[in-house]
Amino acid sequence: MASDRLGTRIASARALGAARLADYAWRCDKRGADGTAKANLAPAPGAETWGVLYEIADADFAALDRLEGGYERIEVSVWRDGEPVKAHTYLSTRLVDDEAPAEWYLGLVLAGALEHGLPAAWIARLERARESGDSPGTGEPIVFDDPGNHCFGCSPHNERGLRLAFTATGRGAVETRYVVEPHLCGRDGVAHGGIQATLMDEAMGHAAHAAADAGEDLDIATIELSVRYRRPTPTGEPLTIRARLVRSEGRDLWMEGEIRDAEGRVCTEATSRWRRLRQSASTRSAPSNAGA
């Protein structure tokens, strides 16, 4: 993403600014020539990836393809200043199983994100990945499709519910895109505050499940929830909802989350504390609200 790095390779490259790619998760699982993991994309409904949109002369694409060895160039639609734009990006099927990206490599990615003013939450995610040395995202969907699950927030079987589904973007982190229907408003055109609180509660509960060990049945409930409404959250427009684990101590998990509008502005922020009720080796249970 860094202008100087691309500019020395492709003379015609001109940065246009930050852009958002929907329904793709950013991962570091492409096998690099040095054996370490490099950036990659994977289709993941509800996920999103932030990057930098460049204008490049048609004659330079062949050279760029050679530089991006091991990747396939594909055409996508990205969002720039609230408008869709056709663009090209790269993904790879030459994957590594458990190699981490090099610290210097994540440093280059982070430098490009800072240079072009990518959203603070995305930069924080890159910083966490650099500090931990982990690959920043799995793209694994989290769906509670048990026929006995009738949760208003996440059940795919509740016809009157929100039917939320989240994608894991790393251990203890999730995100999704969602459009609040106009009839779920407070003031016309603005999502009801209770609906926003539900979106946050669901996101943070799913993030707790994303932090669970493989095979762990994490039966949890909300015991504290705090929501801050920073700006009107629109109905009828795609929202980005994210949550992550802040810390875990004993039976309790502390979470945080946010809702952003189509232009990437933070509309709602929330924090919560969840408590483990029981654990077993059986199927996971959907998160619940202790007050319900």
Side-chain angles (χ1 to χ4, degrees):
M1 289 187 289
S3 297
D4 57 350
R5 183 174 175 83
L6 182 59
T8 59
R9 299 177 170 193
I10 304 295
S12 66
R14 182 172 70 90
L16 302 179
R20 177 174 60 86
L21 174 62
D23 296 326
Y24 280 85
W26 189 70
R27 308 165 69 169
C28 273
D29 62 358
K30 185 258 185 185
R31 182 181 297 279
D34 60 356
T36 63
K38 297 295 188 290
N40 201 7
L41 291 168
E48 68 174 13
T49 293
W50 281 89
V52 181
L53 185 65
Y54 279 87
E55 183 178 64
I56 296 174
D58 289 344
D60 283 338
F61 272 111
L64 185 59
D65 290 344
R66 288 192 297 271
L67 288 170
E68 298 292 350
Y71 288 96
E72 174 189 358
R73 177 159 52 93
I74 62 171
E75 186 173 299
V76 295
S77 180
V78 301
W79 288 86
R80 164 78 176 146
D81 294 333
E83 298 291 336
V85 179
K86 288 190 179 298
H88 293 266
T89 190
Y90 289 86
L91 57 78
S92 178
T93 57
R94 301 181 185 181
L95 308 181
V96 293
D97 293 327
D98 54 7
E99 292 296 329
E103 183 179 353
W104 66 264
Y105 178 78
L106 286 177
L108 286 176
V109 176
L110 179 59
L114 291 168
E115 175 190 354
H116 296 285
L118 269 58
W122 188 261
I123 289 173
R125 178 180 168 189
L126 295 177
E127 289 174 336
R128 290 195 300 271
R130 186 183 184 189
E131 291 169 1
S132 67
D134 292 334
S135 180
T138 67
E140 178 186 356
I142 302 175
V143 180
F144 299 99
D145 59 357
D146 185 336
N149 172 25
H150 303 294
C151 173
F152 172 75
C154 69
S155 171
H157 310 291
N158 186 338
E159 295 182 357
R160 297 185 179 181
L162 301 180
R163 297 184 175 184
L164 292 163
F166 290 85
T167 299
T169 57
R171 186 174 177 85
V174 300
E175 66 183 23
T176 193
R177 288 197 307 147
Y178 188 75
V179 176
V180 177
E181 295 295 332
H183 72 277
L184 296 176
C185 68
R187 188 171 74 242
D188 283 353
V190 178
H192 191 283
I195 294 296
Q196 295 180 56
T198 300
L199 295 174
M200 287 283 79
D201 190 53
E202 287 292 330
M204 291 184 284
H206 281 71
H209 278 282
D213 295 329
E216 178 184 4
D217 176 17
L218 192 63
D219 196 358
I220 54 176
T222 317
I223 60 173
E224 294 177 4
L225 175 64
S226 176
V227 182
R228 180 186 179 193
Y229 303 98
R230 294 185 53 182
R231 64 183 305 119
T233 298
T235 60
E237 299 180 13
L239 305 173
T240 299
I241 305 166
R242 298 191 183 98
R244 72 179 186 95
L245 173 69
V246 177
R247 67 186 177 96
S248 176
E249 183 177 329
R251 294 171 56 200
D252 290 356
L253 303 97
W254 283 260
M255 319 298 298
E256 66 180 16
E258 66 176 18
I259 300 173
R260 290 178 178 261
D261 63 16
E263 296 183 20
R265 298 173 298 188
V266 176
C267 299
T268 310
E269 294 176 322
T271 57
S272 64
R273 182 157 64 108
W274 293 69
R275 179 156 295 167
R276 294 178 176 89
L277 303 181
R278 61 178 173 80
Q279 294 180 348
S280 70
S282 60
T283 305
R284 290 180 181 177
S285 303
S288 63
N289 187 302

